[in-house]
Amino acid sequence: MKLQTCPYLVCIYPHTSSPVVYMTDTRGPEYPYLDEIPEDAKFGVINLDSTVIWRNNIKELHALEFAASKAYSTDNLIKKFGKNIVKNLQSFGWLKKPEDLCKEYYCRSVQIEITSHCNWACKFCPVSINPKPKSVMSMDIFSEIIKKASVHKNIRYVTFHFFNEPTLDPYFEERLKILKKYNMKLALFTNSSALIPKKIDALKESGVVYTITINLPSLDKNEFSALTQSKTYDQCIKNIEYLSKSKFPIKIAVNGSGEDSYKKAKEMKEKYAPLGIDVFHTSTCDRAGILNDTPYGQNIYVDSKLSGCSWPLNHPHFAVNGDIFLCCNDYYQTERFGNINEGSLHEIMTSDAAIDIRRKVFGIIDAPKNFVCRRCHDQTANFKERQFRPLASFPLTNTRKNL
């Protein structure tokens, strides 16, 4: 029998900063729970639930590093590291049979494309160059997703966005009732143009709001119109003012790059912080190469094996027809691996197609040359907001110093 290190493993030394960060898009960065480090701890392994298991035998880390890039026979590993170490690492699920790699998943949120339409065409969004045909998710499909997602207690919230404007959805208020029925929370991302008082009141009544994040790129009306290619500035500002009285956790995201975008975020903070609204700057990206021929292009192509990402592991995305696809940067939804009507969420997430996707993303098998992740900034080695740093791609250094 052969064994290989689980690619989800992220290792850390005691009293060092976290090598990973969890960007939730709603409450800012979060980090693994690093408290209560045993005095004899030599290294720790960060679990999928962000907790850390601390270990006091550095040879276990050596074994995990040794078997990170390829599988070795059990006899070989035992001869090199000892039977007890191999047995312990197997019991934790840190050494696995190659065929069992990437079977696990851990849902933190569910992203649902309730409508494909947006009334803006932001220069930093693919909608500006190739808008999708208008379509709306049926209530039957939506209800099926929520019902099946509700049994997963690690899911903190669902979202209604995918390059769209959720509040344009004709069933918006009905969907809130379904969320309430299944005790699911909503992280609403919106441009606020159609978030009229009636819908804000419906959100209050439903009690499902986890947080509300507003895309507002500028306070200057002319600049706003140029960036969004819309004439909705006045109604956006009016709706935000009404929303600010709701006592919801509200954030305003200022999308952009360069010093000018930080200046706009500062101006917006001066206006909205007194109203209890948190304002933050968020950097734009080229959406896996779609915007390469624009000022937002990043010209990324990763030719080597991929090195892990949280999206296909933690955040299932559903298209308007109920198909499940790769992630928020898969604008054309090319990497689909199931449909909500084919079984439970667990059955879909553990299907051969889902496992194959994760094995590509984590570098267990080579992804095709046109695989969407190869053009994504999440796969670059210097990407600061990584949620996974597999030992095969980001090995710890100087382990011998901890002997």
Side-chain angles (χ1 to χ4, degrees):
M1 183 177 70
K2 288 189 173 184
L3 296 172
Q4 187 170 347
T5 302
C6 174
Y8 299 162
L9 294 194
V10 177
C11 292
I12 183 173
Y13 291 129
H15 311 295
T16 59
S17 59
S18 172
V20 294
V21 55
Y22 307 114
M23 296 302 295
T24 65
D25 291 330
T26 58
R27 293 185 174 176
E30 298 177 359
Y31 299 90
Y33 309 115
L34 302 178
D35 297 335
E36 300 180 4
I37 303 174
E39 290 185 5
D40 62 346
K42 293 295 190 298
F43 76 101
V45 172
I46 302 172
N47 285 323
L48 292 182
D49 63 358
S50 304
T51 60
V52 179
I53 295 180
W54 294 102
R55 304 297 293 167
N56 61 13
N57 189 340
I58 198 65
K59 290 183 179 180
E60 292 180 343
L61 178 57
H62 297 162
L64 292 173
E65 288 185 305
F66 181 77
S69 298
K70 67 177 183 178
Y72 288 90
S73 70
T74 305
D75 290 343
N76 188 325
L77 292 171
I78 290 174
K79 183 178 179 180
K80 190 172 183 66
F81 299 103
K83 184 176 181 179
N84 287 338
I85 284 179
V86 174
K87 183 178 179 181
N88 286 339
L89 297 179
Q90 279 185 279
S91 69
F92 280 116
W94 298 346
L95 284 180
K96 293 178 174 291
K97 298 177 183 177
E99 60 267 29
D100 290 336
L101 297 175
C102 296
K103 285 187 175 181
E104 304 98 329
Y105 67 96
Y106 188 90
C107 288
R108 295 178 182 271
S109 72
V110 173
Q111 320 273 319
I112 308 172
E113 182 189 36
I114 58 173
T115 175
S116 62
H117 174 50
C118 187
N119 58 341
W120 288 7
C122 297
K123 294 293 184 65
F124 46 79
C125 177
V127 174
S128 65
I129 60 174
N130 192 9
K132 296 180 179 180
K134 295 181 182 179
S135 57
V136 176
M137 177 178 282
S138 73
M139 285 303 297
D140 286 344
I141 290 175
F142 179 79
S143 297
E144 193 73 2
I145 294 171
I146 299 303
K147 180 176 70 175
K148 291 177 178 178
S150 66
V151 303
H152 293 258
K153 301 308 178 184
N154 295 321
I155 295 175
R156 295 193 286 184
Y157 57 83
V158 304
T159 75
F160 285 172
H161 72 294
F162 183 75
F163 302 101
N164 62 347
E165 175 44 50
T167 58
L168 297 174
D169 172 33
Y171 304 121
F172 182 78
E173 294 175 40
E174 292 180 48
R175 299 194 201 277
L176 299 181
K177 294 176 182 177
I178 297 297
L179 292 180
K180 183 176 182 178
K181 176 182 177 181
Y182 288 99
N183 196 31
M184 297 290 283
K185 293 295 184 180
L186 170 66
L188 179 64
F189 292 77
T190 173
N191 64 30
S192 76
S193 63
L195 190 57
I196 57 176
K198 181 175 180 288
K199 292 174 184 175
I200 295 171
D201 292 342
L203 285 165
K204 289 181 186 177
E205 184 179 350
S206 70
V208 302
V209 173
Y210 184 80
T211 189
I212 296 177
T213 303
I214 300 165
N215 169 21
L216 188 63
S218 177
L219 283 176
D220 181 273
K221 189 172 182 177
N222 292 330
E223 185 178 38
F224 172 97
S225 297
L227 283 170
T228 66
Q229 302 184 63
S230 76
K231 298 179 180 180
T232 60
Y233 179 85
D234 291 334
Q235 65 199 65
C236 288
I237 299 302
K238 183 179 178 180
N239 290 340
I240 292 172
E241 289 176 356
Y242 187 87
L243 180 65
S244 68
K245 302 172 185 177
S246 67
K247 307 302 180 183
F248 291 138
I250 305 169
K251 288 193 172 190
I252 291 178
V254 184
N255 288 282
S257 57
E259 289 300 319
D260 186 56
S261 62
Y262 285 97
K263 180 181 177 182
K264 286 186 285 187
K266 182 180 179 181
E267 293 171 350
M268 211 167 293
K269 185 174 293 187
E270 291 173 354
K271 177 180 176 65
Y272 286 110
L275 300 179
I277 298 176
D278 185 21
V279 177
F280 68 101
H281 174 269
T282 179
S283 298
T284 56
C285 68
D286 65 12
R287 298 302 178 181
I290 295 175
L291 298 174
N292 246 353
D293 296 328
T294 76
Y296 303 97
Q298 295 170 291
N299 296 306
I300 293 168
Y301 187 80
V302 179
D303 196 30
S304 57
K305 284 188 177 182
L306 301 178
S307 55
C309 180
S310 68
W311 292 102
L313 182 63
N314 300 144
H315 311 284
H317 284 60
F318 286 96
V320 289
N321 66 351
D323 283 353
I324 188 168
F325 61 97
L326 182 62
C327 77
C328 59
N329 281 332
D330 189 6
Y331 180 69
Y332 296 112
Q333 301 171 3
T334 56
E335 302 300 331
R336 302 191 181 209
F337 54 91
N339 186 281
I340 194 60
N341 291 315
E342 295 174 351
S344 67
L345 180 57
H346 174 71
E347 289 170 333
I348 297 169
M349 292 296 289
T350 55
S351 66
D352 289 344
I355 294 169
D356 183 71
I357 286 276
R358 294 196 291 269
R359 287 168 68 87
K360 291 173 183 174
V361 171
F362 279 84
I364 300 302
I365 57 177
D366 275 328
K369 294 300 181 183
N370 63 347
F371 194 61
V372 63
C373 300
R374 291 195 177 279
R375 299 190 180 277
C376 181
H377 64 278
D378 282 58
Q379 286 293 335
T380 57
N382 61 353
F383 183 57
K384 294 181 180 179
E385 296 173 0
R386 280 192 163 274
Q387 300 193 15
F388 289 93
R389 290 184 181 268
L391 285 171
S393 305
F394 302 94
L396 287 169
T397 57
N398 300 320
T399 57
R400 298 289 172 183
K401 291 182 180 180
N402 289 271
L403 279 170

